[in-house]
Amino acid sequence: MIRIGLTGWGDHPSLYDPEAQASRLESYSSYFPIVECDSSFYAILPEKNYVNWIKETPENFQFIIKAYQGLTGHLRGRTAFKNIGEMFDAFRKSIDPMLRSGKCAMILFQYPPWFNCSGKNIDKLRYTKQKMSGIPVALEFRNPSWFSEGMKEKTLKFAEREGWIYTVCDEPQTETGSIPIVPAAWGDRVLVRMHGRNKAGWQNHGPNRRKLRCLYRYNRAELEEWKSRLINLEKKADNVYVLFNNDSGGDAADNGRQMIRLLGVSYPGLAQKQLDLFEP
């Protein structure tokens, strides 16, 4: 099954009726069956947050939880925790309600651009997998060395052998900070993240970098190209989770709905009256 969703539910104005009583998450879940929770990347959240989100969504709705940035090295060691083990324990405790609810599709570990292919970092991946034992975890790289000549197949075999869910990325192609499209998949599920193709924005490190980084709208031809890839990925993995992250200009929601129509898929449990709002 191919499930389409977006990264976060708060920044997609085209989905919300300002006069409606429903929360943004409730409105969002009438359009899409999955969502990435990205606030968990910036802080280890209180358990009550997850409890509330579980209550606001349909029974078959699923979350992809983005792992806390301290666990992936984005903080470069700056943390209030005594050690990395304590940090992992706190994160696992915080997401416990989501795990018990059955609504957690996976935890996404997205590593920073400086996380290169090295023995030290492979050990970190093994440690992470150990600390997250029993939980489905997805792996996303940003450093191209993992897919350099002679390393791509080794990287994929390692990820499959270690039990990671692979993340296929569509993103601007730069010398550093991005990886190529590698449509690999295995096992029960695969994750696809659509970051857009705004090369200038992707490389921007100024004060507006977050607004520009994923400012992009996929055109019909690009979505058709991805439709074929998604259908092929579904032949390799039972469940394909697709997240549009090109939300800087409100394009993710429109592209996500376009992809649903192109694939001709429907999701039980979503409000039919909302689905009828899709543009022809």
Side-chain angles (χ1 to χ4, degrees), residues 13 21 48 155-156 162 183 214 229 254 264:
Q21 297 300 312
K48 65 180 181 180
T155 294
L156 295 176
E162 297 288 320
C214 294
R229 285 199 184 101
D254 291 344

Side-chain angles (χ1 to χ4, degrees), residues 6-279:
L6 314 177
T7 55
W9 57 84
D11 298 320
H12 312 292
S14 65
L15 303 182
Y16 316 125
D17 179 352
E19 298 182 2
Q21 297 300 312
S23 70
R24 289 194 170 189
L25 179 55
E26 288 177 288
S27 296
Y28 173 97
S29 64
S30 69
Y31 288 90
F32 300 101
I34 61 170
V35 72
E36 177 182 301
C37 173
D38 50 9
S39 56
S40 53
F41 175 77
Y42 298 101
I44 294 181
L45 304 173
E47 293 179 58
K48 65 180 181 180
N49 289 28
Y50 296 107
V51 171
N52 290 335
W53 296 334
I54 291 164
K55 292 178 180 178
E56 291 179 20
T57 51
E59 183 179 355
N60 58 354
F61 189 83
Q62 292 183 291
F63 292 84
I64 294 167
I65 309 296
K66 194 170 183 181
Y68 175 55
Q69 59 185 330
L71 302 176
T72 50
H74 284 82
L75 295 179
R76 297 183 184 269
R78 302 187 303 273
T79 175
F81 290 92
K82 294 178 181 178
N83 53 59
I84 188 69
E86 183 181 83
M87 193 187 304
F88 266 104
D89 292 342
F91 178 70
R92 282 197 62 145
K93 185 176 185 299
S94 76
I95 63 173
D96 185 62
M98 192 66 72
L99 299 176
R100 288 188 282 106
S101 74
K103 289 189 175 185
C104 179
M106 66 189 76
I107 309 297
L108 168 62
F109 282 80
Q110 181 198 73
Y111 289 89
W114 55 87
F115 190 84
N116 64 343
C117 184
S118 66
K120 179 182 179 181
N121 286 335
I122 288 173
D123 287 342
K124 288 182 179 179
L125 293 177
R126 289 195 169 113
Y127 177 77
T128 296
K129 196 68 176 60
Q130 176 188 344
K131 295 297 290 185
M132 300 300 290
S133 177
I135 302 173
V137 287
L139 175 61
E140 180 178 352
F141 293 115
R142 282 286 168 85
N143 189 293
S145 63
W146 296 93
F147 298 94
S148 61
E149 186 175 355
M151 289 306 303
K152 183 176 79 170
E153 292 305 319
K154 291 180 180 179
T155 294
L156 295 176
K157 287 180 180 178
F158 166 80
E160 182 177 9
R161 185 175 65 248
E162 297 288 320
W164 288 92
I165 298 165
Y166 178 63
T167 303
V168 184
C169 294
D170 184 292
E171 59 195 24
Q173 295 302 291
T174 60
E175 291 185 7
T176 60
S178 66
I179 62 171
I181 297 173
V182 181
W186 51 77
D188 178 60
R189 46 197 106 169
V190 63
L191 177 61
V192 177
R193 299 185 81 231
M194 308 288 288
H195 298 295
R197 300 178 180 180
N198 183 349
K199 188 173 182 179
W202 192 258
Q203 295 177 306
N204 186 292
H205 298 290
N208 294 323
R209 64 185 183 86
R210 288 187 179 177
K211 292 183 179 180
L212 299 174
R213 186 174 178 80
C214 294
L215 183 60
Y216 189 80
R217 177 177 286 259
Y218 288 94
N219 61 38
R220 177 65 179 258
E222 291 166 338
L223 294 178
E224 289 279 6
E225 169 193 324
W226 265 102
K227 173 186 174 181
S228 298
R229 285 199 184 101
L230 296 178
I231 291 171
N232 287 330
L233 284 171
E234 192 179 18
K235 296 175 183 177
K236 302 175 184 179
D238 295 334
N239 297 283
V240 182
Y241 294 82
V242 185
L243 296 169
F244 281 86
N245 188 39
N246 56 321
D247 53 9
S248 297
D251 297 307
D254 291 344
N255 279 161
R257 288 183 285 171
Q258 281 180 278
M259 183 59 80
I260 288 174
R261 289 188 63 84
L262 285 175
L263 290 167
V265 294
S266 60
Y267 304 108
L270 300 186
Q272 186 63 42
K273 62 179 181 180
Q274 297 282 16
L275 292 175
D276 286 344
L277 296 176
F278 287 1
E279 64 272 27

